[in-house]
Amino acid sequence: MGGDRSREEFGLDWSTDTLVFWALAAVALTVSIVIDSESFERFYGPLSPVVVTIIAAVIGAISLRSLRARGWLRASARPAKHLWRAGFAGMAFATSAAAFDSVIHFPEDMNVAWPHSVLFYPAIAFVAEVAFHIAPLAVLIALLGWRFSGEKDTRRVWTTIAVVTAIETVFQTLDALGGDDKRLALFVAPQLAAVGAFQLMTFRRNGLAALVSFRLGYYLVWHIIWGYVRLTVLF
C-alpha cells in the first residue's frame, strides 16, 4: 500500500518506463552484435559497440531509478497520444535540419548508409539518450540534492533542463567548429539547444517512451530518409 501511495504521489509509471528502456536496450545490443562494428567507429572509436551498449544499459538503469526516486518522472494520462506528438515533433525538427543541409552541407560521412541505417540509428539512439540526457540529468539532480513534486518546482525544472541541454549542444557545436565549414555551428547550436530543451521537458511530462519517440522520429527523417537522399543526390 505504501508503495502504491508513493507511486500515485509522484505520478510515476514505472512499468512502462522500465519496459521501454529494456526493450530499446535489447534492440541496441542485438544490433551492435549483428552490424559490422565499423559503422560505430565514428561514435565509439576503438571501443566495442557491445561493451558500450552494455555500459549504457547499466548506467541508464541506475539513472532511471534515481530519477524515479527524486520525482522527475511523471506518468501521462494519455501516453499513446503523447508518443505520436513527440515522434512528429522530432520529425519536424529534423525537417528543418534537412532544409539547412540542402543549402549548406554537413560532411558526407555524417550518415551511416542505407540499409544499415534502419537498424543502426535505433541502436545509437539508446546510447545517445543515456549519454546526453538520462545519465547527466540523474547526476545533476543527485548532486544538487533536489526532489520534484509539482508545479512549484518550475524554476528547478528549467534550471536542470538548461544545464543538461548545454552538454550535447556544446559537444556537437565544438564538433561542427572543428570541421571544414564553420557556418554549420551557426545552425547546430540553436537547433540542438531547442531540441534538447524540448526532449527533456517531454521526458519530464510524458516519460521515457515519449523521449525515445522524439529521437526515433528525428533519426527517421534526418539520418534514415534524408540520409539516403543526401548520399544519393548531394554527394
Side-chain angles (χ1 to χ4, degrees), residues 108-168:
E108 180 179 358
D109 64 354
M110 179 187 70
N111 305 102
V112 171
W114 176 276
H116 285 127
S117 59
V118 176
L119 295 177
F120 175 80
Y121 285 105
I124 205 73
F126 173 74
V127 176
E129 285 304 339
V130 172
F132 290 121
H133 291 145
I134 298 173
L137 189 65
V139 170
L140 177 63
I141 293 173
L143 288 175
L144 294 173
W146 285 353
R147 292 183 181 275
F148 301 85
S149 58
E151 296 302 324
K152 65 181 180 180
D153 297 314
T154 300
R155 180 175 295 181
R156 286 184 175 184
V157 168
W158 282 109
T159 299
T160 304
I161 287 175
V163 173
V164 175
T165 295
I167 295 173
E168 183 175 13

Side-chain angles (χ1 to χ4, degrees), residues 30-54:
T30 301
V31 171
S32 68
I33 293 172
V34 301
I35 287 187
D36 192 325
S37 61
E38 291 182 2
S39 299
F40 292 92
E41 285 183 0
R42 181 174 182 270
F43 303 93
Y44 302 160
L47 298 176
S48 164
V50 174
V51 172
V52 171
T53 304
I54 292 174

Side-chain angles (χ1 to χ4, degrees), residues 139-216:
V139 170
L140 177 63
I141 293 173
L143 288 175
L144 294 173
W146 285 353
R147 292 183 181 275
F148 301 85
S149 58
E151 296 302 324
K152 65 181 180 180
D153 297 314
T154 300
R155 180 175 295 181
R156 286 184 175 184
V157 168
W158 282 109
T159 299
T160 304
I161 287 175
V163 173
V164 175
T165 295
I167 295 173
E168 183 175 13
T169 300
V170 170
F171 177 83
Q172 299 286 9
T173 301
L174 290 176
D175 184 60
L177 288 172
D180 295 331
D181 194 338
K182 305 297 190 284
R183 294 176 298 173
L184 295 176
L186 297 176
F187 174 80
V188 168
Q191 168 80 350
L192 289 184
V195 166
F198 187 95
Q199 278 194 277
L200 288 171
M201 182 51 69
T202 296
F203 188 32
R204 164 70 173 163
R205 291 176 175 172
N206 305 313
L208 180 64
L211 176 69
V212 171
S213 180
F214 179 98
R215 187 170 288 268
L216 291 179

Side-chain angles (χ1 to χ4, degrees), residues 12-29:
L12 299 179
D13 188 357
W14 297 6
S15 60
T16 300
D17 286 326
T18 301
L19 178 62
V20 169
F21 178 83
W22 289 113
L24 190 58
V27 170
L29 183 60

Side-chain angles (χ1 to χ4, degrees), residues 72-89:
W72 174 268
L73 295 174
R74 300 188 299 180
S76 170
R78 306 171 105 182
K81 180 179 180 180
H82 292 299
L83 287 182
W84 284 107
R85 285 182 173 178
F88 280 123

